[in-house]
Amino acid sequence: HGVGKGCIICKATSFKDGVALTSPYPLPSSCRLQRTNEYVEQGNRRMKDSLIREAKADNLSKDVIYEFQLIEERDRILNQKPRNWNDLEANGFTIGLTNQDIGLLSDFEDPDVSLADRKALLEENGEMICEMYLKLIGKVSNLAVKKYFLARVDKILSEDIGCAKIFNTCKDPYGPFLKIFRVPPSTAQRENEMMAMFVCRILSKLFPALEKWYLQSMQETKQGTLKLQQTIDQPLNDFIMKLTELSRGKNSLIPLKALKDTLKQERAHEPFIRDSGVKMLASLLQPGETQEQVMYLVGFCVWILSFNVKMLRQIDLSDAEEKTSGLVKNLVTVVRQVQREKVIRICFASFRNMLMSEELKGRMVGLGLLDIIKTLNQTEDKELKEDTKKVQDSLKKFLGQLSTFEKYTTEVLSGVLQKSAVHSETFWRKNNAMFEKESYRHIRKLVELLDSKEAETLEMACYDLGEFARFHPDGRNLVTKMGAKSKIMSLMGHRNEQIAKQALLCIQKLMVSNWEFLSK
């Protein structure tokens, strides 16, 4: 539940942002997630299954269903100890547990111990208990027992996020969890997947809990910097790589939530960018194909990154490499096509931060964001209104300061072409020599856009290449050398009449010197 965002099931909007299902804040009795949790606690399996069928009938995201099934499964695991539990208590010393560890384990895992008693034990022996669970997860070979301890740590952190700081003080707080990702595939594939999801939830709580002052203090000495790289940076890099991989999978919601939380730790930004994170996020922004909750989480990740000016530069560079798509382009497409207000809100929050980059301003103008803003439905959401107006005013000012050629540049580099005054005979007659800059960068981009899936972009690309060939002294030769001719010829048979027409005219301009006489 979140203010203005609304529960994905009951649409309630009166609760604080980021409130977990286990939070003390009450959820409305009508909310199916709340009802499901209550029925699970009561052990009413039949009613719980009925609610999941209702949710599926409402086209609820399978990822969401999977998530609260995972939470239910966690609690079921913790209600029934593994079969060889007594052996573990009797022979724990074989995996490095001390008698004190075994005693703490027995006390903490006693089924009669209340939540308040467990909290008291953590307050008194927090570091020893956390070290004990890290040993158990790292050294126990039995998967059922390992899964039990992962479930326990997930439960501890869900009940008290403050425990993340205690785990972070341990000798190796991340290694045992990262090893779970390296468990070889087995017949128990579902078990491995479940353990991986637990690890996503756990580490996404540990890394953001690292104090900034602590990280800075480690960098004050050469030895501290080396320790920082080995004990924090490398595990963080490994985790980010795994989250990027899992976010592309079929059950992407939990990894994406974990990614969103982990990116709150600024040290995670650079490894995420290095691992083609921007392209991964762009690939998940596909209206009609991607679930709205996934698009919202992707937008949230972009919003977090957009506070970092260095990351804005990386987003621009990544988008510049893309021929027909890109993160900013896909965000604009989402705003144009998706009606869900919380998705639009997070996109505009990202756009607002992107105003710090002149290059990204140019992309937003070229992609027609100003025109889209005019068509948006009226909203009562104050935050969305403010962001939309800020973006609109800033882009209008930016556009007013551009020359005609600069306007054309922003449009071409955005990867989306639209009919306007810059696609005209007058413009090309006057500006054709300007395109010699940067080794004919604009013309090369036009050739790339011949692979676009957007009709208007294809039509305008054919027109512009034809006009360049017509007015520039070496235009015909340059366009042919860049490989445009074969692409344009293939477009002559396009089912869209306007694209086919402009492709035919472009070929005529490439092949006939006095083309204008053919049109008379």
Side-chain angles (χ1 to χ4, degrees):
H1 284 78
V3 173
K5 296 178 174 60
C7 173
I8 53 175
I9 296 177
C10 75
K11 318 301 182 201
T13 59
S14 58
F15 301 98
K16 291 187 178 181
D17 188 21
V19 172
L21 294 177
T22 53
S23 140
Y25 292 98
L27 287 88
S29 59
S30 60
C31 176
R32 195 169 295 130
L33 275 179
Q34 173 68 357
R35 287 159 58 202
T36 300
N37 284 345
E38 289 171 358
Y39 289 131
V40 167
E41 289 171 7
Q42 294 166 9
N44 193 330
R45 184 85 187 182
R46 184 169 55 82
M47 187 61 76
K48 174 260 177 185
D49 290 341
S50 172
L51 285 170
I52 289 182
R53 283 196 297 274
E54 278 185 61
K56 289 178 178 176
D58 288 345
N59 294 320
L60 177 64
S61 161
K62 290 180 181 178
D63 282 331
V64 177
I65 295 171
Y66 178 79
E67 184 177 25
F68 64 69
Q69 283 178 332
L70 180 72
I71 295 170
E72 179 214 358
E73 183 69 9
R74 178 197 69 190
D75 294 338
R76 186 194 64 77
I77 290 167
L78 294 175
N79 285 335
Q80 186 176 357
K81 289 181 180 177
R83 292 178 183 175
N84 56 348
W85 183 265
N86 292 334
D87 292 339
L88 180 67
E89 288 186 330
N91 303 307
F93 63 89
T94 60
I95 57 170
L97 295 184
T98 64
N99 288 332
Q100 191 174 11
D101 288 335
I102 295 171
L104 277 173
L105 177 64
S106 298
D107 292 342
F108 201 82
E109 293 294 345
D110 188 329
D112 296 327
V113 171
S114 66
L115 176 60
D117 290 337
R118 283 202 175 96
K119 284 187 176 181
L121 281 169
L122 281 168
E123 287 175 7
E124 187 177 347
N125 302 288
E127 192 169 343
M128 286 184 64
I129 291 171
C130 291
E131 285 281 12
M132 173 189 71
Y133 280 115
L134 288 169
K135 284 181 193 175
L136 290 164
I137 291 167
K139 296 186 178 181
V140 167
S141 57
N142 185 289
L143 291 184
V145 178
K146 195 183 289 282
K147 183 176 67 175
Y148 179 91
F149 291 125
L150 286 170
R152 174 59 71 195
V153 173
D154 182 67
K155 182 85 169 177
I156 289 171
L157 293 172
S158 297
E159 290 174 344
D160 184 2
I161 189 62
C163 291
K165 292 182 180 180
I166 304 175
F167 274 99
N168 282 333
T169 61
C170 296
K171 187 177 180 181
D172 181 15
Y174 317 116
F177 297 116
L178 290 170
K179 284 179 183 178
I180 302 297
F181 291 134
R182 297 192 286 271
V183 172
S186 67
T187 53
Q189 184 176 349
R190 183 175 177 277
E191 302 298 310
N192 290 352
E193 183 180 294
M194 188 184 299
M195 289 196 295
M197 294 301 108
F198 281 139
V199 171
C200 287
R201 287 167 55 86
I202 291 166
L203 289 181
S204 67
K205 293 179 176 72
L206 299 190
F207 283 117
L210 286 164
E211 302 277 5
K212 196 169 185 178
W213 66 265
Y214 172 69
L215 298 173
Q216 289 174 342
S217 67
M218 289 182 75
Q219 293 176 298
E220 291 176 359
T221 64
K222 187 175 180 180
Q223 186 178 2
T225 301
L226 182 63
K227 182 181 178 183
L228 178 66
Q229 291 172 349
Q230 293 174 344
T231 61
I232 295 176
D233 286 346
Q234 189 56 54
L236 180 57
N237 291 359
D238 293 344
F239 184 47
I240 286 291
M241 287 178 65
K242 192 64 184 180
L243 285 180
T244 304
E245 175 192 327
L246 292 172
S247 295
R248 294 187 176 102
K250 61 178 182 178
N251 292 317
S252 61
L253 191 67
I254 293 175
L256 272 173
K257 278 189 173 181
L259 179 62
K260 177 203 74 172
D261 292 335
T262 307
L263 287 176
K264 293 173 185 176
Q265 172 55 254
E266 194 172 326
R267 299 188 78 85
H269 293 185
E270 288 191 15
F272 179 67
I273 293 293
R274 282 200 305 270
D275 197 40
S276 301
V278 171
K279 292 179 181 178
M280 182 276 289
L281 292 177
S283 71
L284 293 176
L285 289 171
Q286 302 292 338
E289 297 179 21
T290 306
Q291 295 162 355
E292 288 180 348
Q293 183 65 10
V294 171
M295 286 191 284
Y296 172 73
L297 288 171
V298 170
F300 210 115
C301 291
V302 176
W303 178 65
I304 292 170
L305 290 170
S306 67
F307 283 94
N308 187 332
V309 177
K310 290 181 181 178
M311 294 303 104
L312 294 180
R313 176 62 178 156
Q314 292 300 322
I315 289 171
D316 178 57
L317 290 173
S318 177
D319 279 16
E321 294 173 0
E322 293 294 314
K323 293 184 179 181
T324 59
S325 66
L327 182 60
V328 180
K329 179 183 176 182
N330 290 0
L331 281 171
V332 172
T333 302
V334 166
V335 169
R336 183 189 291 118
Q337 296 183 13
V338 174
Q339 299 299 313
R340 190 70 177 274
E341 192 171 86
K342 77 170 189 176
V343 177
I344 296 173
R345 184 192 304 107
I346 199 67
C347 288
F348 270 97
S350 301
F351 291 146
R352 183 170 183 169
N353 286 348
M354 289 179 186
L355 296 175
M356 293 186 287
S357 164
E358 293 297 304
E359 293 81 6
L360 294 181
K361 276 187 192 178
R363 289 194 184 280
M364 288 186 275
V365 167
L367 289 162
L369 185 56
L370 280 170
D371 293 331
I372 294 170
I373 290 174
K374 295 175 187 175
T375 67
L376 289 177
N377 296 328
Q378 292 297 316
T379 176
E380 297 302 318
D381 187 280
K382 183 179 177 182
E383 189 179 302
L384 178 55
K385 277 183 176 179
E386 288 178 0
D387 287 345
T388 304
K389 189 173 188 311
K390 178 69 175 177
V391 171
Q392 186 178 39
D393 292 347
S394 182
L395 294 187
K396 278 183 177 178
K397 183 178 178 180
F398 177 81
L399 186 60
Q401 296 170 344
L402 297 179
S403 67
T404 308
F405 182 75
E406 287 171 333
K407 289 177 182 176
Y408 183 84
T409 298
T410 61
E411 184 177 338
V412 169
L413 297 184
S414 75
V416 177
L417 305 181
Q418 297 173 317
K419 292 177 183 177
S420 65
V422 295
H423 303 284
S424 64
E425 178 180 332
T426 304
F427 172 81
W428 283 98
R429 189 186 295 277
K430 180 181 177 181
N431 294 289
N432 67 85
M434 299 283 286
F435 289 88
E436 295 175 4
K437 295 179 179 180
E438 299 182 65
S439 302
Y440 299 94
R441 176 191 183 192
H442 302 74
I443 305 304
R444 294 181 190 281
K445 184 64 177 179
L446 284 173
V447 175
E448 289 180 3
L449 292 179
L450 292 173
D451 296 320
S452 175
K453 295 178 181 178
E454 297 175 18
E456 196 169 3
T457 296
L458 286 173
E459 182 185 345
M460 291 297 97
C462 288
Y463 176 83
D464 288 352
L465 287 169
E467 292 297 90
F468 176 72
R470 179 183 171 198
F471 290 111
H472 191 277
D474 197 27
R476 292 180 180 83
N477 184 41
L478 285 166
V479 172
T480 303
K481 278 186 176 179
M482 290 179 190
K485 192 172 181 180
S486 60
K487 291 184 178 183
I488 296 167
M489 289 183 74
S490 67
L491 291 173
M492 289 167 59
H494 200 282
R495 61 185 178 182
N496 183 301
E497 290 183 6
Q498 290 302 314
I499 295 173
K501 176 184 174 181
Q502 289 301 334
L504 175 61
L505 292 175
C506 185
I507 291 296
Q508 290 177 351
K509 294 172 188 178
L510 285 171
M511 299 183 71
V512 181
S513 297
N514 297 318
W515 171 85
E516 56 271 18
F517 293 112
L518 290 178
S519 62
K520 292 180 179 179

